[in-house]
Amino acid sequence: MTGLARIIAPRLQRWRQHRAQAPEARPSTSSDWLSPALVLVLGLATRLLVLSALPVMPGGDSYARLADPRVLVKAVWLPAYQSTLAALSFFTSEPSAFRVLTAVEGGLACAAGAWCARAWLGPAAGWVVGLGMSVSPVFVLPSVGLYQEPLFWAVSLAAVATARSRGGTAPATVALVALSCLCRYEGWALALAYAAFVRRPVALLPLLVPVGWMASQGGVSSDGTAPLRVDLSLARLGEHAALLWELDRRWGGAPLALLGGLGAALAVARRRATRPALWTAGFLLVSVLGLAWLSPYAPAPHPRPLHAPLL
């Protein structure tokens, strides 16, 4: 073997191993849809029950969205969720109808979580994740006001599930990752993680969405409320770390993060699902650092900087 061959052969072998580990299509069966369907019913029922017990719509954001629901671009909000409200506004102006729509999106998020976990980790994981998202306040409360999170969870988790069932380069996978970039800014981090994981030219397409958005808006938003501000100071990171801790304390996310971390550590220790666990940890780290150092909020960071599911 020549010197050049000795250099090329190991790299070629690693490339072949990477191709074997990249998301491959796994055909769906009728049983794959049973747990997501039942979780959808349970998740929606839970949200409608909570909604009926909370007649006053929570959150100032909810009322700002209803002020003129057909204005798709408001403040720093991306337009996907507002577009669903705008579509409904052609048929009704009743606030409860918009809340029910968001509850439906929350139920779809639960189903997408069950589908995603089942596709990657098996039926038991699908039930655990689906049932957990159905009843956890972290996922229920944003679904009874007018918030973007339920739609983002539904789209992003469906994207990861589709990468497993149809393949990482399938048009549906690319489209869902791109759509997540219009739901919440965490979708931008998801698009970066997707491009890094799949490593195919088609995986770069979703990144055109945030680039095109900022080009069209002259920044994160066009009304001057959120100029993109690069702050590389450690003090900025410390502020966001403190806010994330407070967010976990108030919303009960810390137990979910702890369980998720233990599960990931167990998977790595048993050499099962090592790669997805490492990519998930990397995705969360990039999200936190990116939102801390490239925060669109000025002068103080926003009290809800990260809303990625931790199950």
Side-chain angles (χ1 to χ4, degrees):
M1 181 180 292
T2 66
L4 181 61
R6 291 191 184 96
I7 295 174
I8 295 176
R11 288 169 171 76
L12 182 61
Q13 180 63 24
R14 285 196 296 268
W15 179 77
R16 288 172 177 169
Q17 290 175 351
H18 166 73
R19 286 184 61 90
Q21 293 172 344
E24 299 291 343
R26 186 184 71 83
S28 299
T29 63
S30 58
S31 62
D32 289 335
W33 299 102
L34 179 60
S35 59
L38 294 177
V39 165
L40 170 62
V41 174
L42 176 62
L44 179 57
T46 302
R47 283 151 179 77
L48 293 178
L49 181 63
V50 175
L51 190 153
S52 64
L54 297 174
V56 178
M57 186 165 53
D61 289 3
S62 300
Y63 295 94
R65 289 188 178 281
L66 282 184
D68 189 349
R70 297 181 190 178
V71 175
L72 300 185
V73 180
K74 292 186 174 186
V76 298
W77 297 326
L78 294 168
Y81 173 65
Q82 190 67 28
S83 297
T84 66
L85 302 183
L88 183 60
S89 70
F90 285 98
F91 302 96
T92 180
S93 59
E94 178 61 38
S96 60
F98 295 97
R99 297 181 70 189
V100 170
L101 172 64
T102 309
V104 171
E105 294 171 354
L108 290 172
C110 298
W115 177 28
C116 179
R118 182 184 179 90
W120 284 94
L121 302 174
W127 284 111
V128 170
V129 172
L131 295 176
M133 292 183 66
S134 295
V135 299
S136 170
V138 175
F139 298 101
V140 173
L141 293 180
S143 303
V144 297
L146 303 186
Y147 291 105
Q148 307 170 93
E149 284 82 355
L151 181 61
F152 169 70
W153 292 330
V155 172
S156 59
L157 290 170
V160 179
T162 304
R164 178 64 168 169
S165 63
R166 298 193 179 184
T169 59
T173 305
V174 177
L176 286 169
V177 174
L179 179 58
S180 74
C181 293
L182 293 175
C183 294
R184 278 190 62 85
Y185 294 106
E186 291 88 346
W188 299 11
L190 176 62
L192 283 171
Y194 168 68
F197 182 64
V198 176
R199 299 183 190 176
R200 303 288 192 277
V202 70
L204 298 175
L205 292 178
L207 293 174
L208 296 177
V209 175
V211 172
W213 173 261
M214 292 205 302
S216 66
Q217 301 297 308
V220 177
S221 69
S222 59
D223 61 0
T225 59
L228 189 62
R229 178 168 70 93
V230 179
D231 187 345
L232 301 180
S233 67
L234 292 178
R236 182 69 167 178
L237 179 59
E239 292 174 356
H240 276 261
L243 285 169
L244 282 171
W245 178 262
E246 183 67 13
L247 174 69
D248 280 345
R249 188 185 68 81
R250 290 185 179 181
W251 285 66
L256 295 178
L258 177 61
L259 290 174
L262 290 175
L266 183 61
V268 172
R270 294 182 175 180
R271 297 183 180 181
R272 297 179 56 188
T274 301
R275 193 178 184 88
L278 294 177
W279 274 105
T280 300
F283 164 65
L284 291 175
L285 178 62
V286 168
S287 298
V288 173
L289 292 178
L291 289 167
W293 285 341
L294 299 175
S295 175
Y297 298 99
H302 196 268
R304 296 186 304 154
L306 181 63
H307 284 248
L310 295 179
L311 280 175

